[in-house]
Amino acid sequence: MRVFGISDLHLSFSVTNKSMDVFGAHWFQHWNKIAQSWREQIAPEDAVLVSGDISWGLRPEEASQDLQWLSGLPGQIVLTRGNHDYWWQSIGKMRKAYPRLNFVQNDAVTFNKLSICGTRGWPLPGSDEFDAQDQKIYERELARLRLAVKALDPAAEYRIAMFHYPPLFYNQLDTEFTRILEEAHIDLCVYGHLHQPHFDAQRFDLEHNGIQYRLISADYLHFAPKMLKELP
């Protein structure tokens, strides 16, 4: 089994006023680039991590076409929620409607020796996105992460945590999020949320205190899922 990651798909098959082309020519028909690379690389037994901002749909019915498209791609697909995923509502209904997709919400899913937990995360205190009213939500996300790591399979040989927001910054490596990950003996943490032009100025692919941290935003990966780990 191999583990791949790609985040921030920003699909809009049903929402016509949300074309990503306004963010640059590289976004033109980006879903075709993703699908082509995905099918070329990924086998049915591989795990694919998609950490948020999946669909521009505001309601479940508006995201349905996007999720059906995703369901048609190979691999064991694991999803966590992003800040734009307003369609993400009843986890039970979503799991029933899309059995090919693994929705992870403050809990975990396990494939053989691999266990994957996830939560949305939140902007970090001290960042440009954080202000006083964010403190309550931030603390709630810390509690949700604690629930997520508790749900990991204790027998798993490789542990992954999925976020949407980065749980650390290049100049702020020790955070409350990273401390929880370290206590849970996470091997790999993936996240998205960041888009150009932040890639060059802020370094987010790194190893810290034994954990590999990887940015997997679609445009950062040139719209090709990235192979993150190969397991025996």
Side-chain angles (χ1 to χ4, degrees), residues 104-143:
V104 175
Q105 180 175 287
N106 319 323
D107 56 6
V109 62
T110 299
F111 308 115
N112 299 323
K113 301 175 182 180
L114 170 67
S115 198
I116 305 163
C117 70
T119 191
R120 180 182 56 183
W122 201 249
L124 297 172
S127 70
D128 292 339
E129 293 185 80
F130 193 92
D131 57 37
Q133 65 185 5
D134 289 307
Q135 185 65 37
K136 185 175 181 179
I137 303 173
Y138 172 73
E139 291 174 358
R140 187 184 306 150
E141 287 299 317
L142 290 170

Side-chain angles (χ1 to χ4, degrees), residues 189-206:
C189 177
V190 299
Y191 41 87
H193 187 62
L194 301 175
H195 298 290
Q196 290 185 355
H198 299 291
F199 303 148
D200 294 332
Q202 301 183 31
R203 300 176 294 279
F204 287 92
D205 276 340
L206 52 93

Side-chain angles (χ1 to χ4, degrees), residues 37-173:
S37 178
W38 192 308
R39 294 185 186 281
E40 288 173 352
Q41 296 187 79
I42 294 167
E45 66 272 15
D46 294 332
V48 188
L49 315 176
V50 183
S51 55
D53 280 6
I54 300 153
S55 169
W56 278 115
L58 297 178
R59 299 183 298 275
E61 57 270 25
E62 292 180 342
S64 177
Q65 193 172 348
D66 300 331
L67 295 173
Q68 291 290 359
W69 177 87
L70 196 55
S71 295
L73 296 173
Q76 303 181 88
I77 303 169
V78 185
L79 310 178
T80 51
R81 185 177 186 175
N83 59 303
H84 290 299
D85 289 320
Y86 297 107
W87 55 271
W88 186 299
Q89 298 178 10
S90 167
I91 191 73
K93 289 181 179 179
M94 292 189 299
R95 286 170 174 165
K96 184 177 181 180
Y98 305 99
R100 277 271 297 115
L101 303 176
N102 297 277
F103 295 91
V104 175
Q105 180 175 287
N106 319 323
D107 56 6
V109 62
T110 299
F111 308 115
N112 299 323
K113 301 175 182 180
L114 170 67
S115 198
I116 305 163
C117 70
T119 191
R120 180 182 56 183
W122 201 249
L124 297 172
S127 70
D128 292 339
E129 293 185 80
F130 193 92
D131 57 37
Q133 65 185 5
D134 289 307
Q135 185 65 37
K136 185 175 181 179
I137 303 173
Y138 172 73
E139 291 174 358
R140 187 184 306 150
E141 287 299 317
L142 290 170
R144 288 172 173 168
L145 178 60
R146 293 187 184 99
L147 289 174
V149 298
K150 284 182 180 179
L152 289 164
D153 185 345
E157 295 182 8
Y158 198 78
R159 295 178 154 210
I160 297 176
M162 297 173 62
F163 282 75
H164 179 64
Y165 289 95
L168 78 175
F169 285 102
Y170 73 97
N171 59 352
Q172 189 180 355
L173 298 179

